[in-house]
Amino acid sequence: MNRRDFCSTMVAAVAAGVARPGVGAAQSPATVEKPAPDDPTKELGGPVRPYGERSRFEKAVRQQFPTKTNEASWTFTPLHESRGIITPSALHFERHHAGVPDIDPSKHRLMIHGMVNRPMILTMDEIHRFPSVSHIYFIECSGNSSTEWAKPTAKGVQGTHGLTSGSEWTGVPLALLLKEAGVQQGATWIVAEGADAAVMTRSLPMKKAMDDMLVAYGQNGEAIRPEQGYPLRLIIPGWEGNSQVKWLRRIKVVDKPYMTREETSKYTDLMPDGTARQFTFEMEAKSVITSPSGGQKLPGPGFYEVTGLAWSGRGKIRSVEVSTDGGKSWKPAQLQEPVLRFAHVRFRFPWKWDGQEAILQSRATDESGYVQPRLADFVKIRGVNSVYHLNAIQSWKVAASGEVSNVHA
Ligand SMILES: Nc1nc2c(c(=O)[nH]1)N[C@H]1C(S)=C(S)[C@@H](COP(=O)(O)O)O[C@H]1N2
Ligand SMILES: [Mo]
């Protein structure tokens, strides 16, 4: 698909109501018919159960983008109902180029070869024996917000920003595995390959591999979900989702990038002058108000907590400011601890709505000093030829009726 097709598909899809609920929308058929008792203290509660489910009254689901197939597709996290900084694994956004493979961990192998002294083929059991680390990191698809370049398109924050999620990831530092294999002099890149039907492959600089890449098998306290790469995926703190190869089966140590599909025809950024930026790995600082946000309705004037998420591929979020007048004036928001590098940060801002029309915005600054740009300023530099890496300020209009909608301001 060229950019125009891509965008018109997106626009059509969003106009059609964005999406159908994801496959497996949780509903427990046995209990759904029976109304809850008026007084739960007068009835014996339900039985214990071996694997938990959320309350049947909670309905937030991932929304699937209406693509031609359910396999080469993506789903969006319901950020408007997000709490704190962790995305429940069942609601982590998904992007699959060729479906979710069904992998038996006892048969899965990770091969490390190329410019190494000791090529290795590791089983999952062997990988589990290495010293492990856990970190809370966001993953954001660089296609997040890609409907929003030219005009406000998605209705709510799930559509505009739902391709970012946060989890605690557990695994082995890739540097440890590379040291075990013995990287040879002159090796400056690695090539990572997935075991899915897309055999998704990315070239990645050795420097970042040695710095903080993680070969992860854990997510939020249990094995990584099939959708997130079971049994093994690459986690690359702060870098675009696409580089974080799922179902990881091979790492080749090399001395140049291999120019795969995902770094030539896709995941490059076409600039106004016709040149393209390549290997734009780092996700620049971004924030969004998750509540109040598009599609919600404020019941009336009075107190509201404006809350949202901020994150940066350059490390820590330093500050978030909130505007209630479309960017004319800004006030600092409160950051909820912990404020972690390469993780979603929750911000809060107390607001008394006077019942007049208001435009809500948030603006993040990261520890490098980078300030999230206004959309108009962003487009001045990037043009509108691109699909990926839109990190501009999002505006939500609160109408006098209390209805909240997506606007460009
Ligand atoms: N093997 C493989 N890895 C993959 C993909 C894929 O289709 N196959 N999709 C990539 C893209 S585009 C993104 S945004 C992230 C999404 O990760 P998630 O589905 O766990 O949210 O995985 C990346 N890794
Ligand atoms: Mo992506």
Side-chain angles (χ1 to χ4, degrees):
M1 254 197 287
N2 64 32
R3 185 189 163 267
R4 182 171 296 134
D5 292 346
F6 179 80
C7 286
S8 53
T9 311
M10 302 271 257
V11 171
V14 171
V18 175
R20 348 161 203 159
V23 182
Q27 267 201 355
S28 131
T31 49
V32 96
E33 311 301 334
K34 197 179 159 221
D38 288 334
D39 182 353
T41 67
K42 297 290 181 280
E43 243 181 59
L44 188 59
V48 295
R49 49 189 177 179
Y51 196 85
E53 275 272 356
R54 65 180 170 177
S55 158
R56 63 188 167 110
F57 297 103
E58 293 300 314
K59 304 290 185 204
V61 287
R62 296 193 280 227
Q63 262 182 347
Q64 186 184 337
F65 203 82
T67 39
K68 276 184 203 151
T69 68
N70 291 333
E71 292 79 21
S73 192
W74 54 100
T75 62
F76 296 72
T77 292
L79 290 179
H80 53 294
E81 299 213 14
S82 64
R83 312 274 179 244
I85 60 170
I86 301 288
T87 309
S89 302
L91 295 175
H92 194 289
F93 88 86
E94 308 162 87
R95 174 69 177 110
H96 314 307
H97 289 78
V100 182
D102 180 22
I103 297 178
D104 176 346
S106 71
K107 293 187 185 135
H108 191 73
R109 300 287 181 272
L110 174 64
M111 173 155 81
I112 302 180
H113 69 136
M115 295 172 70
V116 295
N117 296 328
R118 294 173 294 278
M120 311 188 289
I121 295 178
L122 298 169
T123 64
M124 286 306 298
D125 284 344
E126 286 166 340
I127 290 168
H128 288 145
R129 288 188 59 187
F130 280 88
S132 65
V133 292
S134 296
H135 289 284
I136 296 172
Y137 292 138
F138 75 83
I139 297 179
E140 183 184 18
C141 175
S142 50
N144 201 18
S145 312
S146 61
T147 54
E148 305 303 310
W149 285 86
K151 56 176 197 277
T153 303
K155 297 223 163 359
V157 70
Q158 184 163 17
T160 57
H161 289 76
L163 295 180
T164 188
S165 300
S167 289
E168 185 201 57
W169 304 101
T170 298
V172 185
L174 178 57
L176 208 58
L177 300 178
L178 289 174
K179 274 174 206 151
E180 191 76 7
V183 172
Q184 292 171 358
Q185 273 227 313
T188 46
W189 289 75
I190 62 168
V191 181
E193 180 188 82
D196 54 335
V199 195
M200 221 207 69
T201 306
R202 286 291 310 248
S203 312
L204 303 158
M206 177 64 79
K207 190 166 176 295
K208 182 78 169 171
M210 285 302 195
D211 185 14
D212 58 7
M213 284 190 202
L214 201 59
V215 172
Y217 47 75
Q219 177 184 8
N220 297 332
E222 62 182 351
I224 203 165
R225 290 280 164 115
E227 294 90 328
Q228 266 67 62
Y230 183 86
L232 204 61
R233 93 174 289 167
L234 205 51
I235 292 289
I236 312 182
W239 283 19
E240 68 178 352
N242 185 265
S243 64
Q244 308 191 32
V245 174
K246 301 192 280 189
W247 312 294
L248 181 69
R249 73 168 182 188
R250 186 156 79 100
I251 287 175
K252 188 171 182 186
V253 176
V254 296
D255 60 0
K256 57 177 175 298
Y258 270 37
M259 304 299 169
T260 70
R261 187 188 76 135
E262 259 66 44
E263 51 214 29
T264 50
S265 128
K266 302 290 176 209
Y267 301 98
T268 58
D269 307 315
L270 191 55
M271 300 296 283
D273 66 1
T275 60
R277 288 183 181 172
Q278 194 181 21
F279 301 121
T280 42
F281 292 122
E282 249 173 29
M283 300 305 291
E284 292 187 303
K286 191 165 175 178
S287 70
V288 69
I289 294 169
T290 54
S291 182
S293 59
Q296 297 180 334
K297 188 169 182 203
L298 306 188
F303 174 79
Y304 291 92
E305 181 177 77
V306 176
T307 180
L309 295 168
W311 60 98
S312 168
R314 295 219 179 92
K316 250 190 203 175
I317 288 294
R318 181 191 289 166
S319 62
V320 176
E321 298 151 288
V322 167
S323 173
T324 58
D325 56 11
K328 285 189 206 80
S329 64
W330 294 92
K331 291 202 185 94
Q334 185 198 343
L335 301 188
Q336 170 71 58
E337 294 291 338
V339 177
L340 301 168
R341 303 181 77 217
F342 310 120
H344 284 165
V345 175
R346 171 68 57 181
F347 65 86
R348 310 173 193 288
F349 180 81
W351 179 47
K352 208 168 155 206
W353 183 43
D354 59 9
Q356 307 286 309
E357 185 180 300
I359 306 262
L360 304 181
Q361 299 180 334
S362 64
R363 178 168 75 181
T365 301
D366 70 17
E367 63 180 339
S368 77
Y370 177 94
V371 182
Q372 187 183 6
R374 290 173 56 229
L375 183 62
D377 296 336
F378 175 85
V379 165
K380 256 184 230 153
I381 295 169
R382 292 283 308 279
V384 289
N385 294 330
S386 280
V387 171
Y388 308 106
H389 294 286
L390 191 157
N391 69 315
I393 289 170
Q394 169 70 40
S395 304
W396 303 118
K397 183 176 94 179
V398 181
S401 64
E403 268 159 75
V404 187
S405 60
N406 180 8
V407 293
H408 281 186

